[in-house]
Amino acid sequence: MTLLRGIRSPRDLRALPADQLPALAEEIRAELIEKVSRTGGHLGPNLGVVELTIALHRVFRSPEDVLVFDTGHQSYVHKMLTGRLDQFDRLRQEGGLSGYQSRDESPHDVIENSHASTALSWVDGIAKGLERTGQLGSRHVVGVIGDGALTGGMAWEALNNIAASDRPVVMVVNDNERSYSPTIGGLASHLATLRTTHGYERVLDWGKAALGRTPVIGAPLYDTLHGVKKGLKDVVAPQGMFEDLGLKYVGPIDGHDIEALEHALERAKEFGGPVLVHVITEKGRGYLPAELDDAERFHAVGVLDPETGQPLAKSGRTWTSVFSDELVSLGRRRTDLVAVTAAMMGPTGLEPFRAEFPDRTYDVGIAEQHAATSAAGMAFAGLHPVVAVYATFINRAFDQVLMDCALHRAGVTFVLDRAGVTGDDGPSHNGMWDMSILQVVPGLRIAAPRDARTLREELAEALEVENAPTVVRFPKGVVGPDVPALHRHGGVDVLRADDDASVLVVSVGAFAELSLEVADRLAQQGIAVTVVDPRWVCPVPEAVVDLARAHRLVVTVEDNSRTGGIGSAVAAAMRDAEVDVPLRDFGIERRFLHHASRASVLSALGLTAQDVSRAVVETVARLEHTVEPEAAADSAAAEDAGPSA
């Protein structure tokens, strides 16, 4: 690792002779495989951008020149070349490197948010700001966006604005034909054509079939091509189309040829206006197990054996796999059931459904907004769509859930994977806002299963709702053992019922085991408890309010923000019913959570059985201290009054 160890900043990289760069690239790949195999992380994407990142840092002068990566998980090589190599032993661990770009780590990192399709908007805004402050002449703005991220509608909105300007912006499309899995849709066809097209008629066919469907800019591009404004001859260079849009097109470039990359990027840098550089890379390059993984090319991996690529940690059955199996089972019984996802077929568990029902499965690319409204359209036509996305990504489709699904009373079921604290992916990937955001949607219902059995049960119940959107949310990781109910009361599962219980614990979703442990600890302190699982947490079941009336204290425990969460909803329902019982809500504080293990994050938030039970004991003690003097005063007043007449 002699070359890589000698690079402490991009300045050191620029000082290297060109003939040493291939050896440096091999050292970087070896380091990536060694480090990521120990910690887990996004391996495949970074193996694919080694030469591209080297070239970027040799042509541009970060941090004076701004480099933005979309999505940020392809920034590991960037981190290595900007002085963070020695920190990779703690990648994605508490106190260590983030798995994405992070302003807290380095001035070379600009953005924190690692939701896809945002980089070009950042690039547009930064360029406008630098222009306004007189800095754009001496500084350059570069956005690196994957072909998967380029399927997102926000990227096209930004592209439309950038193309209409004359600001010197460089957009590098890292085209590996994949996001998590192979990129789909008209844009994918577009890029594939640019990789392979040489003849006019073939480009014209592509323009008619693909660009005509592209919003806003598609028709003008096709008209330009058809009109042969650039005097196209027998061999067509695709930059003609982009130039008529206002973009200079450079490429396609071999993304593993550093010399060619540097030459292309220098041309783009000197052009003086918006330039799109189309780079072809190979995800997982240089690591045979990744190259042989046709499904995801080791997009994201856990701890593994670097020699074989096999995972070292054996895990039990996951929440995702339970959902996946049940959806297939339901699909066999219901021909109206269709599955929709936004470029996450494998991660959300839809791959088995697609294998059995390929004509009933739709991957819309990184386009959650489109997924939601398209699903509303399918519901209108008589289908019942199941839209499976990560909980953090439903934020992006809120308006569509509200106005297109709920307002139109569309029977669409949203399945939110990775709900609650996910941990090591950091602040942008915790699914901690979904219940707060979605509770304001009229008619929408939210289920939070506590175990595999209730996940299957509540998913089936959600599919029976045809006049409103429904949500089923569950956390990341291994599903625990089934937690049986003593009985069901008004649709609410009673998990524990002590005699003369004074505390009602309302357990939300996968916190059932924790809530029962809290009850055990309270019982040791002489406090009797009732523990219930509402199952459907929004709207708050009337039975929860009825039970609250019979207790002295209500406690809610949820894996969601306390602000606008289930605790707030239960408190509001109690007020509406004039149930004057104190409530103590436990959930996630209103702040962004740094990356760490889920257990570590929950401990820091006080969401452990020990912390919750201690806080409840203290609350009960305060309530008793408040009530006892009042009772004594009432007794004294009665004695002073003497016997009644």
Side-chain angles (χ1 to χ4, degrees), residues 377-610:
M378 294 183 212
F380 170 77
L383 302 177
H384 193 113
V386 173
V387 181
V389 295
Y390 285 4
T392 183
F393 297 135
I394 199 65
N395 307 353
R396 313 184 75 168
F398 172 76
D399 185 64
Q400 289 68 35
V401 173
L402 177 68
M403 292 298 173
D404 297 326
C405 296
L407 179 61
H408 293 85
R409 300 200 266 299
V412 177
T413 295
F414 293 90
V415 173
L416 306 185
D417 201 326
R418 273 71 163 175
V421 172
T422 57
D424 46 22
D425 275 330
S428 65
H429 277 55
N430 289 303
M432 54 186 275
W433 297 284
D434 56 294
M435 290 196 290
S436 298
I437 291 170
L438 295 175
Q439 280 195 78
V440 304
V441 177
L444 180 140
R445 312 174 203 185
I446 302 175
R450 66 179 180 270
D451 53 26
R453 182 182 60 79
T454 54
L455 169 53
R456 291 189 290 266
E457 191 177 74
E458 289 162 29
L459 178 62
E461 292 171 8
L463 297 183
E464 294 301 319
V465 178
E466 300 293 352
N467 62 350
T470 53
V471 173
V472 180
R473 52 116 58 190
F474 50 80
K476 177 182 179 180
V478 177
V479 62
D482 285 351
V483 180
L486 301 176
H487 60 272
R488 186 164 292 175
H489 173 72
V492 172
D493 280 350
V494 179
L495 309 183
R496 175 172 176 144
D498 295 343
D499 293 336
D500 300 321
S502 60
V503 175
L504 173 67
V505 176
V506 180
S507 171
V508 177
F511 272 157
E513 287 188 277
L514 180 145
S515 297
L516 288 170
E517 185 178 345
V518 167
D520 288 339
R521 289 172 175 267
L522 294 178
Q524 293 171 8
Q525 301 295 318
I527 301 171
V529 181
T530 302
V531 180
V532 298
D533 169 16
R535 301 177 67 256
W536 288 87
V537 296
C538 175
V540 175
E542 291 182 8
V544 170
V545 178
D546 291 339
L547 288 165
R549 188 178 282 109
H551 293 76
R552 292 182 58 200
L553 174 67
V554 176
V555 174
T556 61
V557 188
E558 61 187 297
D559 199 357
N560 184 78
S561 174
R562 291 177 62 219
T563 305
I566 302 305
S568 297
V570 171
M574 289 167 57
R575 287 195 301 272
D576 290 345
E578 298 183 351
V579 176
D580 189 17
V581 175
L583 182 142
R584 184 76 191 269
D585 59 329
F586 294 88
I588 301 171
E589 299 171 12
R590 191 176 65 171
R591 63 180 175 87
F592 293 109
L593 307 176
H594 292 296
H595 62 276
S597 69
R598 173 177 164 84
S600 178
V601 173
L602 292 178
S603 178
L605 291 170
L607 289 174
T608 67
Q610 180 178 2

Side-chain angles (χ1 to χ4, degrees), residues 219-487:
L221 282 178
Y222 175 69
D223 291 343
T224 296
L225 177 60
H226 192 60
V228 202
K229 290 183 180 178
K230 294 294 180 182
L232 297 177
K233 299 181 180 180
D234 292 335
V235 178
V236 175
Q239 66 256 33
M241 296 176 288
F242 290 96
E243 286 171 352
D244 280 322
L245 175 63
L247 295 173
K248 179 69 175 177
Y249 173 88
V250 178
I253 309 298
D254 180 353
H256 303 294
D257 183 333
I258 297 176
E259 183 179 359
L261 286 166
E262 288 191 26
H263 179 66
L265 292 171
E266 287 285 4
R267 288 170 57 200
K269 180 179 178 180
E270 295 168 3
F271 177 66
V275 183
L276 188 147
V277 181
H278 182 192
V279 176
I280 311 298
T281 64
E282 181 185 354
K283 190 172 182 177
R285 184 181 176 91
Y287 185 40
L288 185 60
E291 293 175 352
L292 295 176
D293 176 23
D294 189 56
E296 296 184 14
R297 294 290 178 91
F298 277 34
H299 177 85
V301 298
V303 178
L304 52 80
D305 182 336
E307 298 295 326
T308 65
Q310 295 299 309
L312 294 179
K314 294 183 178 180
S315 61
R317 195 172 191 205
T318 64
W319 288 90
T320 306
S321 66
V322 174
F323 158 68
S324 178
D325 291 346
E326 186 62 17
L327 190 68
V328 171
S329 177
L330 290 164
R332 291 169 184 157
R333 302 198 296 270
R334 291 187 54 157
T335 59
D336 65 328
L337 181 61
V338 295
V340 183
T341 192
M344 288 192 166
M345 193 68 65
T348 58
L350 294 188
E351 199 63 64
F353 190 90
R354 178 169 66 174
E356 187 157 342
F357 309 107
D359 58 338
R360 291 160 55 186
T361 308
Y362 303 94
D363 186 343
V364 301
I366 300 177
E368 292 85 0
Q369 292 171 291
H370 168 62
T373 302
S374 177
M378 294 183 212
F380 170 77
L383 302 177
H384 193 113
V386 173
V387 181
V389 295
Y390 285 4
T392 183
F393 297 135
I394 199 65
N395 307 353
R396 313 184 75 168
F398 172 76
D399 185 64
Q400 289 68 35
V401 173
L402 177 68
M403 292 298 173
D404 297 326
C405 296
L407 179 61
H408 293 85
R409 300 200 266 299
V412 177
T413 295
F414 293 90
V415 173
L416 306 185
D417 201 326
R418 273 71 163 175
V421 172
T422 57
D424 46 22
D425 275 330
S428 65
H429 277 55
N430 289 303
M432 54 186 275
W433 297 284
D434 56 294
M435 290 196 290
S436 298
I437 291 170
L438 295 175
Q439 280 195 78
V440 304
V441 177
L444 180 140
R445 312 174 203 185
I446 302 175
R450 66 179 180 270
D451 53 26
R453 182 182 60 79
T454 54
L455 169 53
R456 291 189 290 266
E457 191 177 74
E458 289 162 29
L459 178 62
E461 292 171 8
L463 297 183
E464 294 301 319
V465 178
E466 300 293 352
N467 62 350
T470 53
V471 173
V472 180
R473 52 116 58 190
F474 50 80
K476 177 182 179 180
V478 177
V479 62
D482 285 351
V483 180
L486 301 176
H487 60 272

Side-chain angles (χ1 to χ4, degrees), residues 70-103:
D70 187 348
T71 301
H73 60 232
Q74 61 180 328
S75 64
Y76 291 11
V77 184
H78 163 77
K79 290 173 185 269
M80 288 182 175
L81 298 177
T82 53
R84 287 169 275 180
L85 176 64
D86 293 339
Q87 301 175 54
F88 266 80
D89 286 328
R90 296 192 56 76
L91 175 68
R92 300 171 76 245
Q93 297 178 29
E94 187 171 8
L97 281 182
S98 167
Y100 301 93
Q101 289 182 283
S102 172
R103 287 182 178 180

Side-chain angles (χ1 to χ4, degrees), residues 34-52:
E34 178 188 349
K35 299 302 186 186
V36 179
S37 66
R38 293 179 182 176
T39 63
H42 291 90
L43 182 56
N46 288 285
L47 291 171
V49 298
V50 174
E51 290 85 0
L52 173 58

